[in-house]
Amino acid sequence: MDILILLFLILSYHSFLVIYFYKKGVLKLDVKDLLELLEKEEVIEKIKEIVSKDPKKPSKSQKNITPNETKEKKQEEKLFKEKEEKLKRQISILNDEKAQIQALLLAKHKEYQQEANTLENKNQQLQQQIDSLQQQNQRLTQQNEALLEEQLENELEEELTETIEQLKKEVFNLKETKRILTDTIASSGREKESLKKNLLKLKTELQRLQNENITLLSNLKQKEQEEMRYQIELENKDKTAEYYKIKYQNIDHYFESYRALGENIHHDLERVLSKQSPETFFCYGTQWTNIEALWELISFKLNKYQPEEIRVLSSIFDYFFTCYESINTNYERLHVKIGDEFDEDIHTRASNSAVTGNIKEILLKGYKGIRNGKIKKSIVRM
């Protein structure tokens, strides 16, 4: 539509209207479109046809014109020539601008082509560097894997060497143990079976004693920390000792039984029981922490004290536990009697005891906590 309007204006000799409509936005052509339009053959031919027309040749309708009309016609022809010259100059300027634009575009194209070539060269260089880095990375990865394999082999070799040394020691120890056991059980098959059972029992007993030793050491440490508190409490409890002495008539008997024991026992129990007087003996003995410590020491010394000493200490423990139980319901004794079947949950074997069978001897009765469920197993022999 814009092309038709432009041609119409040109053919009508009103080129100034082209510029007017172009500025007003009626024509939507830019300079590039105008140049392309002017290059078209039909436009060029039409312009040539318009320019080559003889304005002097009158048409049939203009044969009878007045002098004034002739003068106006001349003025119009003169104006047309001026406009024609102006249009030619504009076309020349547009052609020059077109040539300049084409030259600029060509220069820019060359510049962009050079930049593209430069970027391509850089891209090739970068790709070469990437390929080189990938090759280096692959070599380093292979070297790293080789080093890791070597390190793993060295570590495995060291572990195997240590394991072999340990196994050698264990084999040596086992051989020594086997030789000793073989010499010991060579007398009869029955003794061999007995030794096997004793070995199992000793391992169990050793574990129990180790655990109880840890507990005893912990309790003894607590006793040292509480000694000052006990001394203060002792002054207050001396006042009630007479009352308990009347209530518990056997205190003198147990006190004298304790005093008759050896000094080594007094030394072991110096923080648990007192030999100064029946009153202090009773005050110490009715404290739960001391009752608990007394049981631990008896169980720990079963194989070190004489049987009569163990019997006296066990009777003292029974007496104080009964006193404590009469006023406190936190703990209760475990019921066990001769002839009962051995129960791993509430019984533990003493030394020189058979592995299975019924109970033949009660060395120390156990107890359990009613609230916390803590159990001190009865020590028995079968």
Side-chain angles (χ1 to χ4, degrees):
M1 185 65 184
D2 291 336
I3 295 173
L4 295 175
I5 296 173
L6 181 63
L7 290 175
F8 174 77
L9 294 173
I10 293 174
L11 292 175
S12 301
Y13 313 122
H14 297 291
S15 59
F16 66 95
L17 293 176
V18 176
I19 300 172
Y20 173 78
F21 285 119
Y22 181 76
K23 289 182 179 180
K24 291 294 183 179
V26 176
L27 296 176
K28 303 297 182 178
L29 299 174
D30 54 11
V31 176
K32 182 179 178 182
D33 295 331
L34 183 61
L35 291 174
E36 291 178 354
L37 181 64
L38 294 175
E39 286 182 352
K40 293 185 177 181
E41 293 183 1
E42 60 268 22
V43 177
I44 294 173
E45 292 297 328
K46 194 65 179 177
I47 293 173
K48 288 181 178 180
E49 182 181 349
I50 294 171
V51 173
S52 61
K53 283 184 178 180
D54 188 3
K56 295 179 181 181
K57 188 179 291 184
S59 61
K60 294 180 180 182
S61 61
Q62 295 176 346
K63 288 182 179 182
N64 298 319
I65 56 175
T66 62
N68 292 330
E69 291 176 346
T70 302
K71 184 177 179 180
E72 291 178 356
K73 186 66 176 179
K74 288 181 179 181
Q75 290 178 352
E76 184 178 349
E77 290 176 356
K78 182 179 179 181
L79 181 61
F80 172 78
K81 287 182 180 180
E82 290 177 355
K83 290 180 179 180
E84 180 182 4
E85 291 297 327
K86 185 177 180 180
L87 179 62
K88 289 180 179 180
R89 286 194 302 271
Q90 289 178 350
I91 292 173
S92 177
I93 292 171
L94 292 173
N95 288 331
D96 293 341
E97 290 179 352
K98 176 182 178 182
Q100 291 177 1
I101 291 172
Q102 289 178 345
L104 180 62
L105 290 174
L106 181 61
K108 287 292 182 181
H109 175 72
K110 290 181 180 180
E111 183 180 348
Y112 292 154
Q113 187 64 38
Q114 291 177 355
E115 290 180 358
N117 294 334
T118 302
L119 290 175
E120 181 65 25
N121 293 333
K122 288 183 179 180
N123 185 40
Q124 292 178 357
Q125 292 176 0
L126 289 174
Q127 186 61 42
Q128 292 175 356
Q129 292 178 0
I130 290 172
D131 294 339
S132 176
L133 290 174
Q134 288 179 346
Q135 293 176 358
Q136 292 179 4
N137 183 45
Q138 185 176 4
R139 290 197 301 271
L140 291 174
T141 302
Q142 294 175 352
Q143 293 176 359
N144 187 34
E145 291 176 353
L147 290 174
L148 287 174
E149 290 179 358
E150 184 178 357
Q151 183 179 359
L152 289 174
E153 290 177 356
N154 293 335
E155 292 178 354
L156 182 59
E157 184 178 356
E158 292 178 359
E159 291 179 358
L160 289 175
T161 303
E162 293 178 357
T163 304
I164 290 171
E165 292 298 325
Q166 291 178 356
L167 289 174
K168 286 181 179 179
K169 292 179 181 179
E170 291 179 1
V171 169
F172 176 78
N173 293 333
L174 289 172
K175 286 181 178 180
E176 287 296 314
T177 304
K178 181 180 178 181
R179 182 183 62 80
I180 295 171
L181 291 174
T182 301
D183 294 340
T184 304
I185 66 175
S187 59
S188 66
R190 184 176 296 176
E191 290 180 357
K192 179 180 179 180
E193 185 66 24
S194 176
L195 286 174
K196 287 182 178 179
K197 293 179 180 180
N198 288 336
L199 180 61
L200 178 61
K201 178 200 65 176
L202 288 173
K203 288 182 178 179
T204 304
E205 185 67 17
L206 177 60
Q207 184 64 40
R208 182 187 68 81
L209 290 175
Q210 288 176 345
N211 294 335
E212 291 178 352
N213 185 39
I214 293 173
T215 303
L216 181 60
L217 291 175
S218 177
N219 290 336
L220 290 175
K221 186 176 181 180
Q222 291 178 359
K223 302 304 178 293
E224 292 177 356
Q225 296 174 352
E226 295 176 354
E227 183 178 4
M228 291 299 296
R229 182 173 61 84
Y230 291 154
Q231 292 295 335
I232 296 173
E233 292 177 354
L234 181 60
E235 295 178 359
N236 296 328
K237 289 174 182 178
D238 284 339
K239 298 177 182 180
T240 60
E242 186 64 27
Y243 167 78
Y244 284 108
K245 183 177 180 180
I246 296 171
K247 186 174 180 180
Y248 304 102
Q249 296 295 329
N250 294 327
I251 185 64
D252 291 332
H253 167 72
Y254 291 107
F255 175 68
E256 292 300 330
S257 298
Y258 177 70
R259 288 190 62 185
L261 296 175
E263 286 299 319
N264 61 324
I265 297 176
H266 294 160
H267 180 268
D268 292 339
L269 293 172
E270 63 181 354
R271 298 183 184 278
V272 179
L273 296 175
S274 172
K275 63 176 182 176
Q276 295 178 1
S277 66
E279 291 78 12
T280 56
F281 175 76
F282 182 82
C283 290
Y284 272 75
T286 53
Q287 296 297 313
W288 173 249
T289 53
N290 290 340
I291 294 173
E292 197 175 31
L294 178 59
W295 193 96
E296 296 288 349
L297 187 133
I298 294 172
S299 65
F300 184 71
K301 297 288 187 177
L302 281 176
N303 296 326
K304 295 183 179 180
Y305 292 163
Q306 296 298 322
E308 181 60 23
E309 293 174 337
I310 294 296
R311 187 190 64 78
V312 172
L313 290 174
S314 296
S315 65
I316 293 173
F317 172 81
D318 293 340
Y319 171 74
F320 284 132
F321 191 96
T322 301
C323 293
Y324 181 85
E325 192 178 23
S326 66
I327 60 174
N328 195 304
T329 59
N330 290 334
Y331 297 88
E332 64 180 6
R333 297 303 298 272
L334 295 177
H335 299 290
V336 58
K337 63 181 182 295
I338 303 299
D340 286 350
E341 186 177 357
F342 182 80
D343 186 352
E344 289 282 354
D345 294 334
I346 59 174
H347 301 148
T348 184
R349 298 176 185 84
S351 60
N352 301 325
S353 174
V355 178
T356 59
N358 294 332
I359 298 173
K360 295 180 180 180
E361 183 181 2
I362 302 171
L363 301 180
L364 182 61
K365 288 184 178 181
Y367 62 91
K368 69 176 181 179
I370 295 176
R371 295 182 180 178
N372 57 24
K374 179 180 178 182
I375 295 179
K376 290 295 183 179
K377 299 179 181 180
S378 298
I379 301 173
V380 299
R381 186 175 287 135
M382 293 171 288

